[in-house]
């Protein structure tokens, strides 16, 4: 296992990749400027569609982009844009963000590539491969030669494959918009009852995380993720950003929500934490509903280290709390991927398997395949846990 091609910075072209004559690189792009951030927002909002039949489109907030695109150590050169020369209009974008990895204990300095987007009207111009080459060139110039990215499409040799899972929180709305179906042997009342949550969870000591908890959260996650073969090697500042984001944001526009369990027997001691981020979808063709509230499970950890059965019970209770909180925030569906130890709680918490597959790619690094929690038919294997600890946005 290791890098495939050992390039050095001096092999890397200093000039940007050539573009078709009517385009130019947006070298001035600076996402600390509201006008530039809003241009990226607009491009993604109108052209970055997740589901195949264009029923839904990600409903970005600028707060989401600020959080996702500007973690500690980010480089503005890695926010790569393409403009139409004649009009200055932004029509292409791709982002790289710092993401040091550990692949089976090997430290791999890498960058996470995300948000690749080309304007709908310019899809056939082979711009996407040039965007990937250009952001890779700029990352290489900084001495980083490995990239991590995920895609629904199958490209040569993913390092891991995971599956989407969905937990309805507002079943009747998901049914109305055609996302959830009514099984033959069930009535709508029964389906609504199936997904109804209790008002309170089971765990005492649950509260929102505060910055004073951070040291314990950091230590808890470092220890917890020793069980995985692919993890992000967070600095303290990075994890603080990913779990607390802009601490001064009101709950209403907060993107990232992090909670802790404080040990009743030992006040001040944090035994568990979990987090999820909110990223709604616009519903494109439904007069009754215009938006779908989505929460995505993010990082979590527990100090429960007895046996698999105890861990299963603990994680089920912990993420069960996340469902109740997400529901109280108006979320309609709680999403997670078959990574981390998620397979332990998917069934008991009534997650359904999605038809979305998430391939993890590690560019320019040869690694034996890492268990993504799926069986040979790429269905969730509820009897195994994945060895993937990295949660991609
Ligand atoms: C996307 C997504 C969906 C849906 O498409 C969906 N759920 C309900 C209705 N729909 C149509 O369901 C998931 C389940 C697990 C992980 C997921 O996504 C994992 C990756 C999420 N990426 C979000 C993101 C991050 C950065 C930039 N843009 C988008 C998803």
């Amino acid at each position: 296992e290791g890098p495939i091609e050992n390039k050095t910075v001096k092999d890397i072209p200093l000039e940007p990749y050539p573009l078709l004559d009517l385009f130019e690189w947006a070298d001035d792009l600076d996402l600390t400027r509201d006008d530039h951030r809003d241009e990226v927002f607009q491009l993604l909002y109108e052209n970055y569609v997740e589901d195949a039949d264009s029923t839904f489109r990600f409903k970005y907030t600028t707060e989401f982009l600020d959080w996702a695109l500007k973690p500690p150590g980010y480089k503005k050169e890695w926010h790569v844009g393409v403009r139409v020369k004649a009009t200055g209009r932004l029509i292409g974008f791709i982002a790289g963000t710092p993401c040091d990895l550990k692949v089976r204990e090997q430290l791999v300095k890498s960058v996470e590539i995300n948000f690749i987007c080309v304007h709908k009207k310019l899809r056939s111009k082979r711009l996407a491969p040039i965007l990937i080459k250009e952001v890779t060139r700029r990352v290489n110039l900084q001495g980083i030669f490995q990239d991590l990215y995920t895609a629904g499409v199958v490209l040569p040799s993913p390092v891991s494959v995971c599956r989407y899972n969905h937990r309805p929180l507002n079943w009747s709305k998901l049914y109305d918009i055609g996302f959830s179906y009514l099984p033959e042997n069930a009535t709508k009342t029964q389906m609504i009852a199936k997904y109804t949550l209790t008002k309170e969870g089971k765990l005492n000591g649950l509260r929102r995380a505060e910055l004073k908890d951070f040291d314990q959260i950091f230590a808890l996650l470092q220890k917890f993720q020793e069980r995985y073969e692919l993890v992000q090697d967070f600095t303290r500042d990075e994890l603080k950003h990913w779990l607390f984001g802009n601490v001064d944001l009101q709950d209403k526009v907060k993107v990232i929500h992090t909670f802790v369990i404080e040990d009743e027997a030992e006040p001040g001691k944090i035994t568990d934490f979990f987090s999820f981020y909110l990223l709604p979808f616009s519903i494109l063709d439904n007069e009754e509903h215009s938006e779908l509230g989505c929460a995505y499970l993010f990082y979590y950890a527990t100090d429960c280290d007895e046996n698999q059965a105890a861990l299963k019970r603990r994680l089920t209770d912990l993420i069960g709390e996340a469902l109740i909180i997400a529901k109280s925030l108006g979320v309609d569906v709680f999403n997670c991927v078959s990574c981390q130890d998620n397979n332990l709680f998917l069934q008991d918490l009534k997650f359904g398997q999605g038809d979305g597959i998430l391939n993890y790619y590690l560019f320019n690094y040869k690694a034996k395949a890492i268990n993504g929690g799926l069986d040979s038919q790429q269905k969730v294997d509820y009897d195994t846990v994945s060895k993937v600890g990295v949660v991609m946005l």
Side-chain angles (χ1 to χ4, degrees), residues 48 50-51 56 58 60 64 68 114-115 150 163-166 174 179 277 279 281 292 294 296 333 335-337 358 392-393:
Y48 192 90
E50 176 69 27
D51 80 311
F56 307 98
F58 279 117
Y60 285 98
F64 181 91
N114 204 339
F115 293 93
T150 53
R163 178 176 285 278
Y164 286 4
N165 300 277
H166 315 281
L174 294 175
F179 182 72
Y277 65 87
L279 177 58
F281 278 103
L292 179 66
C294 282
Y296 295 85
V333 59
N335 285 339
C336 75
V337 164
L358 196 64
M392 299 287 283
L393 283 185

Side-chain angles (χ1 to χ4, degrees), residues 74-314:
Y74 85 92
K75 296 203 174 351
K76 73 181 278 298
E77 304 77 39
W78 296 353
H79 295 151
V80 181
V82 175
R83 295 184 187 283
V84 174
K85 247 183 219 157
T87 61
R89 188 174 163 78
L90 186 75
I91 51 92
F93 182 73
I94 190 167
T97 49
C99 176
D100 287 348
L101 297 169
K102 266 196 204 151
V103 184
R104 295 189 180 95
E105 297 314 307
Q106 284 292 320
L107 188 58
V108 180
K109 284 194 77 54
S110 92
V111 161
E112 184 177 311
I113 304 290
N114 204 339
F115 293 93
I116 181 165
C117 181
V118 171
H119 196 284
K120 280 171 180 287
K121 294 197 179 63
L122 295 163
R123 289 286 158 92
S124 59
K125 301 242 184 294
R126 309 279 308 146
L127 270 172
I130 297 176
L131 279 167
I132 293 173
K133 283 193 180 81
E134 178 59 11
V135 74
T136 302
R137 184 190 69 83
R138 296 184 189 195
V139 163
N140 291 167
L141 281 178
Q142 302 286 332
I144 297 175
F145 296 98
Q146 273 71 40
D147 305 351
L148 174 69
Y149 55 100
T150 53
V153 292
V154 183
L155 305 164
S157 60
V159 68
S160 191
V161 187
C162 294
R163 178 176 285 278
Y164 286 4
N165 300 277
H166 315 281
R167 204 293 181 183
L169 300 180
N170 182 348
W171 184 86
S172 45
K173 178 173 176 183
L174 294 175
Y175 174 75
D176 291 346
I177 64 174
F179 182 72
S180 293
Y181 300 98
L182 184 58
E184 286 85 63
N185 57 353
T187 64
K188 283 169 69 171
T189 312
Q190 284 167 329
M191 293 308 281
I192 292 165
K194 172 179 177 183
Y195 292 114
T196 300
L197 295 166
T198 55
K199 222 88 236 59
E200 295 278 302
K202 296 182 184 158
L203 297 178
N204 298 325
L206 173 70
R207 63 172 169 77
R208 263 193 190 280
E210 296 164 44
L211 281 174
K212 68 176 182 170
D213 305 314
F214 179 70
D215 290 349
Q216 292 189 71
I217 291 171
F218 186 75
L220 210 50
L221 182 62
Q222 295 273 54
K223 178 117 187 56
F224 186 75
Q225 59 177 24
E226 282 171 359
R227 68 194 66 202
Y228 301 123
E229 295 174 354
L230 174 64
V231 295
Q232 181 166 353
D233 186 34
F234 293 103
T235 65
R236 294 171 51 80
D237 284 348
E238 284 173 332
L239 188 65
K240 200 174 288 182
H241 172 82
W242 290 121
L243 294 182
F244 288 90
N246 310 2
V247 281
D248 52 6
L249 275 184
Q250 302 306 319
D251 283 6
K252 198 77 206 91
V253 286
K254 226 182 201 355
V255 177
I256 179 71
H257 296 260
T258 302
F259 292 80
V260 294
I261 300 289
E262 190 171 330
D263 189 343
E264 278 192 301
E266 205 180 321
K269 182 169 180 261
I270 305 299
T271 55
D272 314 74
F273 85 89
F274 61 82
S275 57
F276 56 82
Y277 65 87
L278 302 180
L279 177 58
F281 278 103
S282 306
I283 303 169
L284 301 179
D285 57 357
N286 186 299
E287 55 288 337
E288 206 183 337
H289 303 286
S290 64
E291 182 168 318
L292 179 66
C294 282
Y296 295 85
L297 183 60
F298 201 47
Y299 286 99
Y300 60 81
T302 177
D303 68 359
C304 171
D305 57 4
E306 291 144 55
N307 52 49
Q308 187 93 319
L311 178 64
K312 178 183 172 79
R313 226 180 355 267
R314 187 77 196 173

Side-chain angles (χ1 to χ4, degrees), residues 2-73:
I4 294 169
E5 204 187 347
N6 282 309
K7 289 185 281 190
T8 61
V9 175
K10 61 181 185 310
D11 307 329
I12 307 302
L14 290 176
E15 289 308 307
Y17 267 86
L19 280 167
L20 291 173
D21 205 33
L22 69 159
F23 300 129
E24 64 185 357
W25 293 111
D27 292 331
D28 63 331
L29 196 60
D30 174 353
L31 296 188
T32 59
R33 286 177 45 170
D34 288 2
D35 55 340
H36 285 184
R37 187 198 55 200
D38 292 348
E39 277 187 277
V40 171
F41 169 87
Q42 208 51 41
L43 174 71
L44 290 171
Y45 185 77
E46 289 161 2
N47 301 279
Y48 192 90
V49 179
E50 176 69 27
D51 80 311
D53 48 2
S54 300
T55 318
F56 307 98
R57 181 183 297 144
F58 279 117
K59 188 174 165 67
Y60 285 98
T61 57
T62 49
E63 289 83 5
F64 181 91
L65 294 181
D66 281 342
W67 177 65
L69 291 173
K70 293 187 281 184

